[in-house]
PDB file of all heavy atoms in Angstrom:
ATOM      1  N   ALA Z 311      40.534 -23.221 -54.559  1.00  0.00           N
ATOM      2  CA  ALA Z 311      39.276 -23.674 -53.957  1.00  0.00           C
ATOM      3  C   ALA Z 311      38.706 -22.614 -53.030  1.00  0.00           C
ATOM      4  O   ALA Z 311      37.481 -22.395 -52.976  1.00  0.00           O
ATOM      5  CB  ALA Z 311      39.503 -24.983 -53.201  1.00  0.00           C
ATOM      6  N   ALA Z 312      39.587 -21.946 -52.282  1.00  0.00           N
ATOM      7  CA  ALA Z 312      39.123 -20.888 -51.358  1.00  0.00           C
ATOM      8  C   ALA Z 312      38.497 -19.742 -52.144  1.00  0.00           C
ATOM      9  O   ALA Z 312      37.467 -19.183 -51.740  1.00  0.00           O
ATOM     10  CB  ALA Z 312      40.299 -20.406 -50.517  1.00  0.00           C
ATOM     11  N   ARG Z 313      39.120 -19.356 -53.279  1.00  0.00           N
ATOM     12  CA  ARG Z 313      38.553 -18.287 -54.101  1.00  0.00           C
ATOM     13  C   ARG Z 313      37.202 -18.712 -54.678  1.00  0.00           C
ATOM     14  O   ARG Z 313      36.258 -17.906 -54.732  1.00  0.00           O
ATOM     15  CB  ARG Z 313      39.521 -17.927 -55.221  1.00  0.00           C
ATOM     16  CG  ARG Z 313      40.721 -17.100 -54.773  1.00  0.00           C
ATOM     17  CD  ARG Z 313      41.456 -16.504 -55.972  1.00  0.00           C
ATOM     18  NE  ARG Z 313      41.923 -17.524 -56.891  1.00  0.00           N
ATOM     19  CZ  ARG Z 313      43.109 -18.129 -56.796  1.00  0.00           C
ATOM     20  NH1 ARG Z 313      43.931 -17.825 -55.787  1.00  0.00           N
ATOM     21  NH2 ARG Z 313      43.474 -19.035 -57.672  1.00  0.00           N
ATOM     22  N   LYS Z 314      37.112 -19.938 -55.093  1.00  0.00           N
ATOM     23  CA  LYS Z 314      35.878 -20.428 -55.690  1.00  0.00           C
ATOM     24  C   LYS Z 314      34.704 -20.334 -54.712  1.00  0.00           C
ATOM     25  O   LYS Z 314      33.589 -19.949 -55.097  1.00  0.00           O
ATOM     26  CB  LYS Z 314      36.073 -21.873 -56.146  1.00  0.00           C
ATOM     27  CG  LYS Z 314      34.806 -22.515 -56.700  1.00  0.00           C
ATOM     28  CD  LYS Z 314      35.066 -23.950 -57.139  1.00  0.00           C
ATOM     29  CE  LYS Z 314      33.786 -24.610 -57.639  1.00  0.00           C
ATOM     30  NZ  LYS Z 314      34.030 -26.019 -58.065  1.00  0.00           N
ATOM     31  N   HIS Z 315      34.974 -20.675 -53.462  1.00  0.00           N
ATOM     32  CA  HIS Z 315      33.898 -20.696 -52.458  1.00  0.00           C
ATOM     33  C   HIS Z 315      33.865 -19.445 -51.596  1.00  0.00           C
ATOM     34  O   HIS Z 315      33.066 -19.360 -50.660  1.00  0.00           O
ATOM     35  CB  HIS Z 315      34.040 -21.946 -51.582  1.00  0.00           C
ATOM     36  CG  HIS Z 315      33.916 -23.241 -52.334  1.00  0.00           C
ATOM     37  ND1 HIS Z 315      32.727 -23.653 -52.878  1.00  0.00           N
ATOM     38  CD2 HIS Z 315      34.845 -24.185 -52.661  1.00  0.00           C
ATOM     39  CE1 HIS Z 315      32.914 -24.822 -53.493  1.00  0.00           C
ATOM     40  NE2 HIS Z 315      34.198 -25.157 -53.381  1.00  0.00           N
ATOM     41  N   ASN Z 316      34.767 -18.518 -51.926  1.00  0.00           N
ATOM     42  CA  ASN Z 316      34.780 -17.223 -51.219  1.00  0.00           C
ATOM     43  C   ASN Z 316      34.943 -17.384 -49.708  1.00  0.00           C
ATOM     44  O   ASN Z 316      34.215 -16.794 -48.908  1.00  0.00           O
ATOM     45  CB  ASN Z 316      33.499 -16.438 -51.508  1.00  0.00           C
ATOM     46  CG  ASN Z 316      33.626 -14.977 -51.133  1.00  0.00           C
ATOM     47  OD1 ASN Z 316      34.722 -14.400 -51.154  1.00  0.00           O
ATOM     48  ND2 ASN Z 316      32.517 -14.344 -50.781  1.00  0.00           N
ATOM     49  N   VAL Z 317      35.914 -18.209 -49.329  1.00  0.00           N
ATOM     50  CA  VAL Z 317      36.232 -18.402 -47.914  1.00  0.00           C
ATOM     51  C   VAL Z 317      37.751 -18.380 -47.767  1.00  0.00           C
ATOM     52  O   VAL Z 317      38.495 -18.478 -48.754  1.00  0.00           O
ATOM     53  CB  VAL Z 317      35.675 -19.722 -47.348  1.00  0.00           C
ATOM     54  CG1 VAL Z 317      34.160 -19.754 -47.401  1.00  0.00           C
ATOM     55  CG2 VAL Z 317      36.276 -20.916 -48.090  1.00  0.00           C
ATOM     56  N   ALA Z 318      38.214 -18.288 -46.542  1.00  0.00           N
ATOM     57  CA  ALA Z 318      39.642 -18.402 -46.283  1.00  0.00           C
ATOM     58  C   ALA Z 318      40.065 -19.854 -46.442  1.00  0.00           C
ATOM     59  O   ALA Z 318      39.260 -20.776 -46.252  1.00  0.00           O
ATOM     60  CB  ALA Z 318      39.954 -17.920 -44.862  1.00  0.00           C
ATOM     61  N   VAL Z 319      41.345 -20.063 -46.801  1.00  0.00           N
ATOM     62  CA  VAL Z 319      41.852 -21.424 -46.983  1.00  0.00           C
ATOM     63  C   VAL Z 319      41.635 -22.260 -45.727  1.00  0.00           C
ATOM     64  O   VAL Z 319      41.236 -23.429 -45.779  1.00  0.00           O
ATOM     65  CB  VAL Z 319      43.338 -21.404 -47.389  1.00  0.00           C
ATOM     66  CG1 VAL Z 319      43.905 -22.827 -47.381  1.00  0.00           C
ATOM     67  CG2 VAL Z 319      43.503 -20.773 -48.762  1.00  0.00           C
ATOM     68  N   ASP Z 320      41.869 -21.644 -44.557  1.00  0.00           N
ATOM     69  CA  ASP Z 320      41.714 -22.374 -43.300  1.00  0.00           C
ATOM     70  C   ASP Z 320      40.262 -22.761 -43.010  1.00  0.00           C
ATOM     71  O   ASP Z 320      40.006 -23.591 -42.146  1.00  0.00           O
ATOM     72  CB  ASP Z 320      42.250 -21.544 -42.133  1.00  0.00           C
ATOM     73  CG  ASP Z 320      43.773 -21.574 -42.060  1.00  0.00           C
ATOM     74  OD1 ASP Z 320      44.371 -22.428 -42.748  1.00  0.00           O
ATOM     75  OD2 ASP Z 320      44.361 -20.753 -41.331  1.00  0.00           O
ATOM     76  N   ASP Z 321      39.300 -22.159 -43.733  1.00  0.00           N
ATOM     77  CA  ASP Z 321      37.885 -22.468 -43.522  1.00  0.00           C
ATOM     78  C   ASP Z 321      37.364 -23.538 -44.479  1.00  0.00           C
ATOM     79  O   ASP Z 321      36.190 -23.923 -44.407  1.00  0.00           O
ATOM     80  CB  ASP Z 321      37.027 -21.206 -43.690  1.00  0.00           C
ATOM     81  CG  ASP Z 321      37.288 -20.193 -42.591  1.00  0.00           C
ATOM     82  OD1 ASP Z 321      37.746 -20.595 -41.508  1.00  0.00           O
ATOM     83  OD2 ASP Z 321      37.051 -18.985 -42.831  1.00  0.00           O
ATOM     84  N   LEU Z 322      38.252 -24.032 -45.378  1.00  0.00           N
ATOM     85  CA  LEU Z 322      37.792 -25.031 -46.349  1.00  0.00           C
ATOM     86  C   LEU Z 322      37.353 -26.330 -45.673  1.00  0.00           C
ATOM     87  O   LEU Z 322      36.365 -26.940 -46.082  1.00  0.00           O
ATOM     88  CB  LEU Z 322      38.914 -25.327 -47.350  1.00  0.00           C
ATOM     89  CG  LEU Z 322      39.173 -24.234 -48.402  1.00  0.00           C
ATOM     90  CD1 LEU Z 322      40.423 -24.560 -49.213  1.00  0.00           C
ATOM     91  CD2 LEU Z 322      37.959 -24.080 -49.329  1.00  0.00           C
ATOM     92  N   ALA Z 323      38.067 -26.728 -44.632  1.00  0.00           N
ATOM     93  CA  ALA Z 323      37.702 -27.968 -43.947  1.00  0.00           C
ATOM     94  C   ALA Z 323      36.318 -27.840 -43.306  1.00  0.00           C
ATOM     95  O   ALA Z 323      35.482 -28.752 -43.386  1.00  0.00           O
ATOM     96  CB  ALA Z 323      38.749 -28.313 -42.892  1.00  0.00           C
ATOM     97  N   GLU Z 324      36.067 -26.693 -42.671  1.00  0.00           N
ATOM     98  CA  GLU Z 324      34.752 -26.450 -42.067  1.00  0.00           C
ATOM     99  C   GLU Z 324      33.671 -26.409 -43.144  1.00  0.00           C
ATOM    100  O   GLU Z 324      32.559 -26.928 -42.949  1.00  0.00           O
ATOM    101  CB  GLU Z 324      34.772 -25.148 -41.281  1.00  0.00           C
ATOM    102  CG  GLU Z 324      33.450 -24.823 -40.597  1.00  0.00           C
ATOM    103  CD  GLU Z 324      33.473 -23.487 -39.882  1.00  0.00           C
ATOM    104  OE1 GLU Z 324      34.570 -22.918 -39.717  1.00  0.00           O
ATOM    105  OE2 GLU Z 324      32.381 -23.007 -39.502  1.00  0.00           O
ATOM    106  N   LEU Z 325      33.981 -25.798 -44.295  1.00  0.00           N
ATOM    107  CA  LEU Z 325      33.026 -25.739 -45.395  1.00  0.00           C
ATOM    108  C   LEU Z 325      32.701 -27.137 -45.900  1.00  0.00           C
ATOM    109  O   LEU Z 325      31.539 -27.453 -46.181  1.00  0.00           O
ATOM    110  CB  LEU Z 325      33.587 -24.882 -46.528  1.00  0.00           C
ATOM    111  CG  LEU Z 325      32.695 -24.693 -47.743  1.00  0.00           C
ATOM    112  CD1 LEU Z 325      31.424 -23.940 -47.371  1.00  0.00           C
ATOM    113  CD2 LEU Z 325      33.446 -23.960 -48.862  1.00  0.00           C
TER     114      LEU Z 325
END
Side-chain angles (χ1 to χ4, degrees):
R313 285 193 302 271
K314 176 180 178 180
H315 298 291
N316 196 28
V317 297
V319 172
D320 283 347
D321 293 336
L322 286 172
E324 181 183 348
L325 181 63

